[in-house]
Amino acid sequence: MADLRIEGEREPLLGDTPGNREWDILETEEHYKSRWRSIRILYLTMFLSSVGFSIVILSIWPYLQKIDQTADTRFLGWVIASYSLGQMVASPIFGLWSNYRPRKEPLVVSIFISVAANCLYAYVHIPASHNKYYMLVARGLLGIGAGNVAVVRSYTAGATSLQERTSSMANISMCQALGFILGPVFQTCFAFIGEKGVTWDVIKLRINMYTTPVLLSAFLGILNIILILAILREHRVDDSGRQCKNINFEEASTDEIEVPQGNIDQVAVVAINVLFFVALFIFAVFETIIAPLTMDMYAWTQEQAVLYNGIILAALGVEAVVIFVGVKLLSKKIGERAILLGGLIVVWVGFFILLPWGNQFPKIQWEDLHNNSIPNTTFGEIIIGLWKSPMEDDNERPTGCSIEQAWCLYTPVIHLAQFLTSVVLIGVGYPVCNLMSYTLYSKVLGPKPQGVYMGWLTASGSGARILGPMFISQVYAHWGPRWAFSLMCGIVVLTITLLGVVYRRLIALSVRYGRIQE
């Protein structure tokens, strides 16, 4: 009866076919339940990590201005980038750590760093000077704590069979997307506390609209640590689902098998790192350009840009969740490589549609004012409008495409229908490329410990989130949307070409060595 119960639980998730279950007898019901409890704890870890990043994203700028009057938009750019820089540095380190020690260790340490970072963020108003640098350190530490993404994905890859892998990776990505969506919602819920709030004099803690979100995030981090210590167990299976011996196991079982030997295809590894870099680069570019583009093309005020673009980004998050669910089902029929290729083609079409055509031109802003939609040396100035207060008499500000951007005089307008169609297409293509890159990567690496490799993949994504805004801010400011989106189309074409070159190499290690049929 126990074996039948295990089969019944697996069926909805795996969609196994008869003849692939000869290994079922090697996994007891207790082991199966423990393995999936551990994986689901890591789903929660990924969700809370995403919430920790996004829960203050709408309040960073006003809080930075409040604690340090010397902070400008250039420094804001560094504060935002520090998260990705910290994650880029920490991911390979945590990944290496997880290869040789129980995964609880890097997970607990990384989450503790995030808790400490949130506490520091709540106290950055205390020092008499240089407060902005304390905020910079706090966000950088939070990024270091987020380096545990590599551990989460490597654990999940090692604890699932090939048939379970895509579904598990999709669930992780869904939790990440939900965290990014709900973080700003939680921030909004605390807005009623106001800027002044209350002060706990004994520990000099101000509880207001800026600090309450990070205090909640710190509390959830402590809860996450407790759950990891209480529930997470070391599990590792091969591509068929059989238990494998691993240095991370607290104790070895007599029915565990040795990890099959085989050399990892390093060409495929490098190629997927490039593919993942481009996927994150695409979304970083789109996320950065959406505010200045809509303000320039449609003469939106700052208040309108914050409202409408906020709705668009929230809708993209919901769309991503739907896509992740759909991809889990579609991958069983046509495979991950074909889906990745399709995702890149959809992204290319999305950027191609954004190219300006026709004889209609945007409204020109003739006043000699520094429009917040003009990106200069840092991407902090591009997104500055997201933190501006709507109470600042937007109606009295000039709107339109600033005359300081020479391309406004000869570049046709991008019609709203073009823009919205592109949003939908990029919203489909990006999550597909993101998920398929991770899934294929884990399969190419095989059942060996993946911590370091996952660390490098996470680091490449962090680098993309840093370079993307810098790239698009310079191109958009000097040459306008036609050049910006043409270059993005070119980048995607080169990426599709790379995928075509390595297409046959992007297969699971076990398939490559003939141990499993594709």
Side-chain angles (χ1 to χ4, degrees):
M1 291 298 293
D3 288 339
L4 290 176
R5 193 155 51 246
I6 295 171
E7 281 194 23
E9 289 177 355
R10 277 203 183 102
E11 190 63 34
L13 179 64
L14 304 182
D16 291 350
T17 56
N20 286 339
R21 296 182 178 275
E22 66 273 10
W23 46 269
D24 278 357
I25 57 173
L26 296 180
E27 185 176 46
T28 65
E29 182 178 15
E30 181 183 357
H31 180 274
Y32 174 79
K33 289 183 177 180
S34 175
R35 181 163 67 92
W36 280 101
R37 276 197 301 268
S38 299
I39 292 172
R40 286 165 186 143
I41 285 296
L42 295 185
Y43 292 166
L44 175 65
T45 301
M46 181 64 80
F47 172 77
L48 294 179
S49 177
S50 298
V51 169
F53 166 77
S54 63
I55 199 170
V56 297
I57 200 67
L58 296 179
S59 63
I60 287 180
W61 176 238
Y63 190 37
L64 181 61
Q65 288 182 308
K66 183 179 179 66
I67 64 171
D68 197 325
Q69 296 297 321
T70 65
D72 56 12
T73 55
R74 185 187 298 271
F75 193 82
L76 171 65
W78 281 109
V79 170
I80 296 169
S82 63
Y83 179 92
S84 296
L85 285 170
Q87 188 180 50
M88 184 170 64
V89 171
S91 294
I93 297 174
F94 286 131
L96 179 64
W97 188 350
S98 71
N99 275 2
Y100 297 100
R101 296 289 301 169
R103 266 70 67 94
K104 284 183 181 180
E105 293 180 7
L107 285 171
V108 169
V109 170
S110 61
I111 297 171
F112 179 80
I113 291 173
S114 296
V115 171
N118 283 316
C119 292
L120 175 60
Y121 188 94
Y123 279 97
V124 292
H125 63 278
I126 295 294
S129 61
H130 302 103
N131 305 74
K132 62 183 182 181
Y133 294 107
Y134 289 97
M135 179 179 284
L136 179 69
V137 171
R139 292 297 291 178
L141 286 174
L142 192 66
I144 291 174
N148 61 17
V149 170
V151 183
V152 170
R153 293 193 185 272
S154 65
Y155 180 98
T156 304
T160 53
S161 67
L162 284 182
Q163 291 174 318
E164 298 167 322
R165 191 76 47 78
T166 302
S167 178
S168 300
M169 288 295 183
N171 290 339
I172 287 177
S173 296
M174 276 194 292
C175 291
Q176 190 174 31
L178 284 172
F180 285 133
I181 295 170
L182 295 178
V185 174
F186 294 152
Q187 164 75 75
T188 304
C189 292
F190 293 120
F192 73 93
I193 299 176
E195 288 191 337
K196 186 176 181 181
V198 296
T199 302
W200 191 351
D201 294 325
V202 176
I203 56 176
K204 297 183 178 180
L205 176 63
R206 288 183 186 172
I207 302 175
N208 55 31
M209 60 183 291
Y210 302 126
T211 61
T212 306
V214 294
L215 294 174
L216 173 64
S217 185
F219 171 77
L220 294 175
I222 294 172
L223 180 62
N224 194 12
I225 290 175
I226 294 172
L227 290 174
I228 287 174
L229 293 174
I231 297 175
L232 185 70
R233 297 293 179 267
E234 298 294 340
H235 291 289
R236 184 133 172 267
V237 299
D238 68 4
D239 287 344
S240 296
R242 295 170 295 185
Q243 292 176 250
C244 297
K245 290 183 179 179
N246 186 345
I247 190 172
N248 304 99
F249 277 95
E250 286 117 355
E251 51 184 62
S253 174
T254 56
D255 58 1
E256 290 169 351
I257 63 171
E258 294 286 349
V259 177
Q261 297 301 311
N263 294 325
I264 295 172
D265 187 344
Q266 298 297 335
V267 173
V269 167
V270 173
I272 295 177
N273 270 277
V274 174
L275 292 170
F276 186 69
F277 176 91
V278 173
L280 269 292
F281 187 87
I282 287 168
F283 193 72
V285 164
F286 184 76
E287 194 176 38
T288 301
I289 203 63
I290 186 173
L293 180 68
T294 52
M295 293 175 72
D296 287 338
M297 291 292 137
Y298 314 122
W300 286 358
T301 63
Q302 289 180 352
E303 184 177 3
Q304 289 173 321
V306 170
L307 175 61
Y308 299 153
N309 290 325
I311 294 172
I312 288 171
L313 291 176
L316 284 179
V318 175
E319 182 185 11
V321 172
V322 175
I323 294 298
F324 290 140
V325 174
V327 166
K328 288 200 295 183
L329 303 174
L330 189 60
S331 64
K332 298 176 184 178
K333 297 182 178 180
I334 65 175
E336 289 88 359
R337 293 177 296 177
I339 294 176
L340 176 58
L341 177 59
L344 287 171
I345 292 173
V346 169
V347 167
W348 182 86
V349 174
F351 278 113
F352 183 79
I353 289 175
L354 269 180
L355 293 175
W357 305 96
N359 299 318
Q360 183 178 347
F361 295 90
K363 173 188 174 183
I364 300 299
Q365 179 194 135
W366 293 100
E367 286 80 355
D368 185 19
L369 295 174
H370 291 287
N371 189 330
N372 285 300
S373 69
I374 304 173
N376 292 318
T377 55
T378 70
F379 64 89
E381 289 169 325
I382 300 178
I383 59 176
I384 192 67
L386 295 175
W387 289 281
K388 286 288 188 180
S389 170
M391 304 298 293
E392 294 181 4
D393 295 329
D394 266 326
N395 293 329
E396 297 181 6
R397 286 206 183 96
T399 59
C401 198
S402 174
I403 191 61
E404 293 184 1
Q405 300 174 136
W407 55 263
C408 291
L409 296 174
Y410 56 81
T411 301
V413 70
I414 298 173
H415 297 283
L416 187 60
Q418 280 181 268
F419 173 71
L420 293 178
T421 303
S422 175
V423 166
V424 172
L425 291 174
I426 294 174
V428 170
Y430 164 70
V432 167
C433 296
N434 186 317
L435 173 58
M436 290 300 100
S437 298
Y438 264 120
T439 303
L440 285 169
Y441 196 63
S442 67
K443 291 185 176 183
V444 166
L445 295 176
K448 295 182 179 180
Q450 300 184 6
V452 174
Y453 284 103
M454 284 293 180
W456 287 119
L457 190 68
T458 304
S460 70
S462 300
R465 288 200 300 271
I466 297 170
L467 296 178
M470 294 180 179
F471 164 82
I472 198 64
S473 65
Q474 296 300 317
V475 175
Y476 183 83
H478 293 97
W479 298 309
R482 177 171 284 168
W483 272 100
F485 300 136
S486 295
L487 288 174
M488 289 305 301
C489 286
I491 291 172
V492 176
V493 167
L494 291 175
T495 306
I496 292 173
T497 304
L498 172 64
L499 178 58
V501 171
V502 300
Y503 192 88
R504 294 183 179 275
R505 308 183 75 136
L506 303 184
I507 57 176
L509 187 69
S510 297
V511 174
R512 184 171 168 232
Y513 284 95
R515 291 190 287 268
I516 291 180
Q517 293 295 321
E518 188 172 14

